Amino acid sequence: MSDNISKGDLNVLVDFLSQDPQPILTNNKKVRQFEEEWGSWLGMPNNLMVNSGSSANQITFLALRQMLPEGAEVIVPPITWVSDISAVLQNGFTPVFCDINPKTLAIDEDDLLDKITRKTKVVFLTHVLGYNGLTDKILKLCEDNDLILVEDVCESHGATFKGQKVGTFGEISNFSYYYAHHMTSIEGGMVSTTDPEIYQLCRMFRSHGMLREATDDAIKQEYINEYPDLNSDFIFTEAAYNFRSTEINAVLAHNQLKRLDGNNKRRNENHYTFINNLNSERFRTDLNHEGNSNYAFTPILNEPDFALRDKTEERLNKYGIEFRRGLSGGGSQIRQPYIEKYIKNFNIKINGIYRAPNPLDYPKADHCHHFGWYIGNYPDLEESKIKHITEILNED
Ligand SMILES: Cc1ncc(COP(=O)(O)O)c(C=O)c1O
């Protein structure tokens, strides 16, 4: 990957650090300023910067835990990141896996319909590698069944569904500013929400669960009245952690946001060069590209073929092309060792039973696990290099 942090970003950072008097470096007004800028860019009213996308996942489900019954079911896809599943597991919810739609790489609407039970409370949808994962039917199923939609947009900043940015359809959305993503603050993340109650909870859970972080006086007064013997500056409302960002990350994020739309446009042009030059007899080129904010090329074999897969990887290695097999998150989360460990160590249910799901019951996700890759796409990637990659992939 080309360097995601520019000389200009570093200069802005140096200017910030060399101010006299010295600037505050812990979470302060630069973080607040970036939260506001992010809210305007995205179109969400409440935004909270944290130190990673996984922290955003974690405090989202810690907040949801306060309002949903113990063990409530959360629909998740197998193609996502580990922290999406761990946030669900570690907050006492029951993950229910749902297969993916091969055109969007996100939750499949028909399988979603089959997986909804009276215990389902949340759909946690991941927009994979720049693709929009939403459909009208998914939104309607959420609405009709009174389900909270949480969007993980850590890999799809700027993607749209019907012209509207993803991350604005659900009650809550999570973003990551990890070094390799569409924009970066080195490490960082955001929780964006339409719900003021979730926002207040996340404010506290970002900072050790501390009451003083809430900005709603009614919430504060309730705790102060209930715990009159405690110093109101040190009331811990939950067993939480420190997920705060520093000012340094916010200064970088502020500068990076200025380039985000322009960079996304260039990445999308690269994406179409890639798709138009890929052999559609061998690879899937018929994904839903509308609204894509491409982050990585996603060659996926049309047919399962382990020999062709190995040959393709040999060729990519030979030419020094970096790739990751399995799309996001190393492929199907169902195949990862932590799932079995969780069931054994914590006696938890997955899909309503005390047994790991069979990955073969999720054939579309499992196909991507074995026969799909991602290859980095960055804004200044030259057309000739993209064509070189497709030539290698298409080679007989
Ligand atoms: C879909 C998804 N969710 C969450 C995360 C976690 O983000 P972070 O690496 O910032 O913790 C990632 C990381 O790449 C991701 O791809």
Side-chain angles (χ1 to χ4, degrees), residues 51-57 79-84 124-129 152-156 174-181 186-189 295 328-329 374:
N51 57 6
S52 72
S54 22
S55 304
N57 296 151
I79 301 292
T80 183
W81 192 254
V82 55
S83 56
D84 291 52
F124 191 13
L125 181 141
T126 298
H127 297 280
V128 173
L129 297 172
D152 185 319
V153 200
C154 290
E155 301 175 2
S156 296
N174 297 161
F175 290 83
S176 161
Y177 309 124
Y178 169 63
Y179 189 76
H181 286 166
I186 313 174
E187 302 284 357
Y295 155 64
S328 317
Y374 88 74

Short mmCIF file of all heavy atoms in Angstrom, two decimals, residues 51-57 79-84 124-129 152-156 174-181 186-189 295 328-329 374, ligand 1:
data_model
loop_
_atom_site.label_atom_id
_atom_site.label_comp_id
_atom_site.label_asym_id
_atom_site.label_seq_id
_atom_site.Cartn_x
_atom_site.Cartn_y
_atom_site.Cartn_z
N ASN A 51 -10.73 5.30 20.08
CA ASN A 51 -9.36 5.03 19.63
C ASN A 51 -9.24 3.89 18.62
O ASN A 51 -8.13 3.57 18.19
CB ASN A 51 -8.45 4.79 20.84
CG ASN A 51 -8.96 3.66 21.72
OD1 ASN A 51 -9.93 2.99 21.36
ND2 ASN A 51 -8.34 3.45 22.84
N SER A 52 -10.35 3.29 18.21
CA SER A 52 -10.30 2.30 17.12
C SER A 52 -11.72 1.93 16.70
O SER A 52 -12.69 2.22 17.42
CB SER A 52 -9.57 1.01 17.56
OG SER A 52 -10.37 0.28 18.46
N GLY A 53 -11.80 1.23 15.57
CA GLY A 53 -13.10 0.73 15.13
C GLY A 53 -13.60 -0.36 16.06
O GLY A 53 -14.80 -0.47 16.31
N SER A 54 -12.68 -1.17 16.59
CA SER A 54 -13.14 -2.23 17.51
C SER A 54 -13.66 -1.63 18.81
O SER A 54 -14.60 -2.17 19.41
CB SER A 54 -12.07 -3.28 17.77
OG SER A 54 -10.81 -2.82 17.51
N SER A 55 -13.08 -0.50 19.23
CA SER A 55 -13.62 0.19 20.42
C SER A 55 -15.04 0.69 20.12
O SER A 55 -15.91 0.64 20.99
CB SER A 55 -12.75 1.38 20.80
OG SER A 55 -11.42 0.99 21.01
N ALA A 56 -15.24 1.17 18.88
CA ALA A 56 -16.58 1.63 18.49
C ALA A 56 -17.56 0.46 18.57
O ALA A 56 -18.67 0.58 19.10
CB ALA A 56 -16.55 2.22 17.08
N ASN A 57 -17.14 -0.72 18.05
CA ASN A 57 -18.00 -1.91 18.14
C ASN A 57 -18.32 -2.24 19.61
O ASN A 57 -19.47 -2.51 19.97
CB ASN A 57 -17.29 -3.15 17.55
CG ASN A 57 -16.98 -3.06 16.06
OD1 ASN A 57 -16.02 -3.67 15.59
ND2 ASN A 57 -17.79 -2.34 15.30
N ILE A 79 -18.83 -12.95 7.19
CA ILE A 79 -17.76 -12.13 6.59
C ILE A 79 -17.80 -10.76 7.25
O ILE A 79 -18.62 -9.89 6.92
CB ILE A 79 -17.95 -12.01 5.05
CG1 ILE A 79 -17.94 -13.39 4.39
CG2 ILE A 79 -16.87 -11.09 4.44
CD1 ILE A 79 -16.61 -14.13 4.40
N THR A 80 -16.95 -10.60 8.23
CA THR A 80 -16.84 -9.35 8.99
C THR A 80 -15.52 -9.38 9.72
O THR A 80 -14.65 -10.21 9.42
CB THR A 80 -18.05 -9.18 9.94
OG1 THR A 80 -17.94 -7.92 10.60
CG2 THR A 80 -18.14 -10.27 11.00
N TRP A 81 -15.37 -8.51 10.72
CA TRP A 81 -14.13 -8.50 11.50
C TRP A 81 -14.39 -9.15 12.86
O TRP A 81 -15.53 -9.13 13.34
CB TRP A 81 -13.67 -7.05 11.68
CG TRP A 81 -12.29 -6.92 12.21
CD1 TRP A 81 -11.92 -6.54 13.48
CD2 TRP A 81 -11.07 -7.17 11.52
NE1 TRP A 81 -10.55 -6.54 13.60
CE2 TRP A 81 -10.01 -6.94 12.40
CE3 TRP A 81 -10.78 -7.61 10.21
CZ2 TRP A 81 -8.67 -7.10 12.04
CZ3 TRP A 81 -9.44 -7.77 9.85
CH2 TRP A 81 -8.42 -7.51 10.77
N VAL A 82 -13.34 -9.69 13.47
CA VAL A 82 -13.48 -10.39 14.76
C VAL A 82 -14.18 -9.52 15.81
O VAL A 82 -15.00 -10.01 16.61
CB VAL A 82 -12.10 -10.88 15.27
CG1 VAL A 82 -11.09 -9.76 15.36
CG2 VAL A 82 -12.20 -11.57 16.61
N SER A 83 -13.89 -8.20 15.81
CA SER A 83 -14.42 -7.36 16.88
C SER A 83 -15.93 -7.17 16.79
O SER A 83 -16.58 -6.84 17.79
CB SER A 83 -13.72 -5.99 16.89
OG SER A 83 -13.84 -5.36 15.65
N ASP A 84 -16.51 -7.39 15.60
CA ASP A 84 -17.97 -7.32 15.49
C ASP A 84 -18.59 -8.47 16.27
O ASP A 84 -19.60 -8.31 16.96
CB ASP A 84 -18.41 -7.41 14.02
CG ASP A 84 -18.01 -6.18 13.22
OD1 ASP A 84 -16.83 -5.81 13.27
OD2 ASP A 84 -18.89 -5.57 12.58
N PHE A 124 -26.72 -6.51 12.86
CA PHE A 124 -25.41 -5.85 12.84
C PHE A 124 -24.79 -6.13 11.47
O PHE A 124 -24.22 -7.18 11.23
CB PHE A 124 -24.54 -6.43 13.97
CG PHE A 124 -23.27 -5.66 14.24
CD1 PHE A 124 -23.05 -4.40 13.71
CD2 PHE A 124 -22.29 -6.21 15.07
CE1 PHE A 124 -21.88 -3.70 13.98
CE2 PHE A 124 -21.12 -5.52 15.35
CZ PHE A 124 -20.92 -4.26 14.80
N LEU A 125 -24.98 -5.18 10.58
CA LEU A 125 -24.60 -5.38 9.17
C LEU A 125 -23.23 -4.75 8.89
O LEU A 125 -23.00 -3.60 9.26
CB LEU A 125 -25.67 -4.75 8.28
CG LEU A 125 -25.48 -4.87 6.78
CD1 LEU A 125 -26.83 -5.13 6.10
CD2 LEU A 125 -24.83 -3.64 6.17
N THR A 126 -22.36 -5.52 8.25
CA THR A 126 -21.05 -4.98 7.85
C THR A 126 -21.08 -4.65 6.36
O THR A 126 -21.42 -5.50 5.54
CB THR A 126 -19.93 -6.02 8.13
OG1 THR A 126 -19.88 -6.25 9.53
CG2 THR A 126 -18.58 -5.51 7.65
N HIS A 127 -20.71 -3.42 6.04
CA HIS A 127 -20.52 -3.04 4.64
C HIS A 127 -19.08 -3.45 4.29
O HIS A 127 -18.13 -2.88 4.83
CB HIS A 127 -20.70 -1.53 4.46
CG HIS A 127 -22.08 -1.06 4.79
ND1 HIS A 127 -23.13 -1.18 3.93
CD2 HIS A 127 -22.58 -0.47 5.91
CE1 HIS A 127 -24.22 -0.67 4.48
NE2 HIS A 127 -23.92 -0.24 5.69
N VAL A 128 -18.95 -4.45 3.43
CA VAL A 128 -17.65 -5.10 3.23
C VAL A 128 -16.81 -4.40 2.15
O VAL A 128 -17.25 -4.23 1.01
CB VAL A 128 -17.88 -6.58 2.83
CG1 VAL A 128 -16.57 -7.26 2.44
CG2 VAL A 128 -18.54 -7.33 3.98
N LEU A 129 -15.61 -4.01 2.53
CA LEU A 129 -14.58 -3.55 1.58
C LEU A 129 -15.09 -2.52 0.56
O LEU A 129 -14.75 -2.60 -0.62
CB LEU A 129 -13.96 -4.76 0.86
CG LEU A 129 -13.20 -5.73 1.78
CD1 LEU A 129 -12.79 -6.98 1.01
CD2 LEU A 129 -11.98 -5.08 2.39
N ASP A 152 -21.80 -1.47 10.46
CA ASP A 152 -20.35 -1.38 10.58
C ASP A 152 -19.82 -0.86 9.25
O ASP A 152 -19.90 -1.54 8.22
CB ASP A 152 -19.73 -2.74 10.91
CG ASP A 152 -18.22 -2.62 11.14
OD1 ASP A 152 -17.58 -1.87 10.38
OD2 ASP A 152 -17.69 -3.25 12.05
N VAL A 153 -19.30 0.37 9.29
CA VAL A 153 -18.83 1.03 8.06
C VAL A 153 -17.30 1.19 8.11
O VAL A 153 -16.73 2.05 7.45
CB VAL A 153 -19.55 2.39 7.87
CG1 VAL A 153 -19.47 2.85 6.42
CG2 VAL A 153 -21.01 2.34 8.29
N CYS A 154 -16.66 0.36 8.91
CA CYS A 154 -15.21 0.50 9.08
C CYS A 154 -14.45 0.35 7.77
O CYS A 154 -13.34 0.86 7.64
CB CYS A 154 -14.71 -0.54 10.08
SG CYS A 154 -15.25 -0.19 11.76
N GLU A 155 -15.05 -0.36 6.79
CA GLU A 155 -14.36 -0.59 5.51
C GLU A 155 -15.04 0.14 4.36
O GLU A 155 -14.74 -0.15 3.20
CB GLU A 155 -14.40 -2.10 5.18
CG GLU A 155 -13.74 -2.97 6.22
CD GLU A 155 -13.91 -4.45 5.93
OE1 GLU A 155 -14.51 -4.79 4.89
OE2 GLU A 155 -13.46 -5.26 6.75
N SER A 156 -15.97 1.04 4.62
CA SER A 156 -16.78 1.57 3.51
C SER A 156 -17.13 3.06 3.64
O SER A 156 -18.21 3.47 3.18
CB SER A 156 -18.06 0.74 3.37
OG SER A 156 -17.73 -0.58 3.03
N ASN A 174 -20.64 2.41 13.06
CA ASN A 174 -19.26 2.35 13.57
C ASN A 174 -18.28 2.55 12.43
O ASN A 174 -18.46 1.96 11.36
CB ASN A 174 -18.96 0.97 14.19
CG ASN A 174 -19.81 0.62 15.40
OD1 ASN A 174 -19.91 -0.56 15.74
ND2 ASN A 174 -20.40 1.59 16.06
N PHE A 175 -17.25 3.35 12.68
CA PHE A 175 -16.21 3.60 11.67
C PHE A 175 -14.84 3.33 12.29
O PHE A 175 -14.67 3.44 13.50
CB PHE A 175 -16.26 5.06 11.21
CG PHE A 175 -17.48 5.38 10.38
CD1 PHE A 175 -18.69 5.70 11.00
CD2 PHE A 175 -17.43 5.36 9.00
CE1 PHE A 175 -19.83 5.98 10.24
CE2 PHE A 175 -18.55 5.64 8.24
CZ PHE A 175 -19.75 5.95 8.85
N SER A 176 -13.89 3.02 11.40
CA SER A 176 -12.50 2.86 11.84
C SER A 176 -11.62 3.81 11.03
O SER A 176 -11.86 4.01 9.84
CB SER A 176 -12.04 1.42 11.59
OG SER A 176 -10.63 1.34 11.58
N TYR A 177 -10.61 4.37 11.68
CA TYR A 177 -9.61 5.18 10.98
C TYR A 177 -8.24 4.50 11.10
O TYR A 177 -7.21 5.15 11.29
CB TYR A 177 -9.55 6.61 11.55
CG TYR A 177 -10.91 7.29 11.63
CD1 TYR A 177 -11.38 7.79 12.83
CD2 TYR A 177 -11.71 7.41 10.49
CE1 TYR A 177 -12.62 8.41 12.91
CE2 TYR A 177 -12.95 8.02 10.56
CZ TYR A 177 -13.40 8.51 11.77
OH TYR A 177 -14.63 9.12 11.85
N TYR A 178 -8.26 3.20 11.05
CA TYR A 178 -7.02 2.42 11.07
C TYR A 178 -6.14 2.84 9.88
O TYR A 178 -6.64 3.28 8.85
CB TYR A 178 -7.37 0.92 11.02
CG TYR A 178 -6.17 0.05 10.76
CD1 TYR A 178 -5.12 0.00 11.68
CD2 TYR A 178 -6.08 -0.73 9.61
CE1 TYR A 178 -4.01 -0.78 11.44
CE2 TYR A 178 -4.97 -1.51 9.36
CZ TYR A 178 -3.94 -1.53 10.28
OH TYR A 178 -2.84 -2.30 10.02
N TYR A 179 -4.88 2.66 10.02
CA TYR A 179 -3.88 3.15 9.06
C TYR A 179 -4.20 2.84 7.59
O TYR A 179 -3.98 3.67 6.72
CB TYR A 179 -2.53 2.53 9.45
CG TYR A 179 -1.39 3.13 8.68
CD1 TYR A 179 -0.92 4.39 9.00
CD2 TYR A 179 -0.82 2.45 7.61
CE1 TYR A 179 0.11 4.96 8.28
CE2 TYR A 179 0.21 3.02 6.89
CZ TYR A 179 0.67 4.27 7.22
OH TYR A 179 1.67 4.84 6.51
N ALA A 180 -4.73 1.63 7.32
CA ALA A 180 -4.91 1.24 5.91
C ALA A 180 -6.29 1.60 5.36
O ALA A 180 -6.58 1.30 4.21
CB ALA A 180 -4.68 -0.27 5.79
N HIS A 181 -7.16 2.21 6.17
CA HIS A 181 -8.54 2.43 5.72
C HIS A 181 -8.68 3.67 4.82
O HIS A 181 -7.69 4.34 4.54
CB HIS A 181 -9.49 2.48 6.92
CG HIS A 181 -9.72 1.11 7.50
ND1 HIS A 181 -10.29 0.89 8.72
CD2 HIS A 181 -9.44 -0.11 7.01
CE1 HIS A 181 -10.35 -0.40 8.96
NE2 HIS A 181 -9.85 -1.03 7.94
N ILE A 186 -4.10 7.27 12.21
CA ILE A 186 -3.15 6.22 12.64
C ILE A 186 -3.97 5.07 13.20
O ILE A 186 -4.07 4.02 12.59
CB ILE A 186 -2.10 6.66 13.67
CG1 ILE A 186 -1.44 7.99 13.27
CG2 ILE A 186 -1.03 5.55 13.83
CD1 ILE A 186 -0.50 8.55 14.32
N GLU A 187 -4.55 5.27 14.38
CA GLU A 187 -5.58 4.39 14.93
C GLU A 187 -6.73 5.32 15.29
O GLU A 187 -6.50 6.47 15.65
CB GLU A 187 -5.11 3.67 16.20
CG GLU A 187 -3.87 2.81 16.06
CD GLU A 187 -4.10 1.48 15.37
OE1 GLU A 187 -5.26 1.17 15.02
OE2 GLU A 187 -3.10 0.78 15.15
N GLY A 188 -7.95 4.82 15.23
CA GLY A 188 -9.08 5.66 15.61
C GLY A 188 -10.39 5.09 15.13
O GLY A 188 -10.41 4.15 14.32
N GLY A 189 -11.46 5.64 15.65
CA GLY A 189 -12.78 5.17 15.23
C GLY A 189 -13.85 6.15 15.65
O GLY A 189 -13.56 7.17 16.29
N TYR A 295 -12.33 0.20 -1.62
CA TYR A 295 -11.21 0.25 -0.68
C TYR A 295 -10.19 -0.82 -1.06
O TYR A 295 -9.00 -0.67 -0.83
CB TYR A 295 -11.79 0.07 0.71
CG TYR A 295 -10.90 -0.47 1.78
CD1 TYR A 295 -9.78 0.24 2.21
CD2 TYR A 295 -11.21 -1.66 2.40
CE1 TYR A 295 -8.99 -0.26 3.21
CE2 TYR A 295 -10.43 -2.16 3.41
CZ TYR A 295 -9.31 -1.46 3.82
OH TYR A 295 -8.54 -1.95 4.82
N SER A 328 -12.84 -9.59 3.93
CA SER A 328 -12.59 -8.96 5.24
C SER A 328 -12.27 -10.01 6.29
O SER A 328 -12.82 -11.10 6.26
CB SER A 328 -13.84 -8.29 5.80
OG SER A 328 -14.52 -7.59 4.87
N GLY A 329 -11.47 -9.62 7.23
CA GLY A 329 -11.35 -10.38 8.48
C GLY A 329 -10.82 -11.80 8.35
O GLY A 329 -11.07 -12.63 9.23
N TYR A 374 -8.72 -10.04 -1.19
CA TYR A 374 -8.72 -8.61 -1.45
C TYR A 374 -7.29 -8.14 -1.71
O TYR A 374 -6.33 -8.69 -1.16
CB TYR A 374 -9.48 -7.81 -0.39
CG TYR A 374 -8.79 -7.32 0.84
CD1 TYR A 374 -7.91 -6.24 0.79
CD2 TYR A 374 -9.09 -7.87 2.07
CE1 TYR A 374 -7.32 -5.76 1.94
CE2 TYR A 374 -8.50 -7.40 3.22
CZ TYR A 374 -7.61 -6.35 3.15
OH TYR A 374 -7.03 -5.87 4.29
C1 LIG B 1 -15.53 -4.44 9.44
C2 LIG B 1 -14.55 -4.01 10.50
N1 LIG B 1 -15.01 -3.72 11.73
C3 LIG B 1 -14.19 -3.34 12.71
C4 LIG B 1 -12.83 -3.22 12.49
C5 LIG B 1 -11.95 -2.81 13.62
O1 LIG B 1 -11.32 -1.60 13.37
P1 LIG B 1 -9.94 -1.22 14.09
O2 LIG B 1 -8.85 -1.96 13.38
O3 LIG B 1 -9.83 0.25 13.93
O4 LIG B 1 -10.07 -1.65 15.51
C6 LIG B 1 -12.30 -3.52 11.25
C7 LIG B 1 -10.85 -3.44 11.03
O5 LIG B 1 -10.29 -3.41 10.00
C8 LIG B 1 -13.18 -3.93 10.21
O6 LIG B 1 -12.72 -4.24 9.00
#
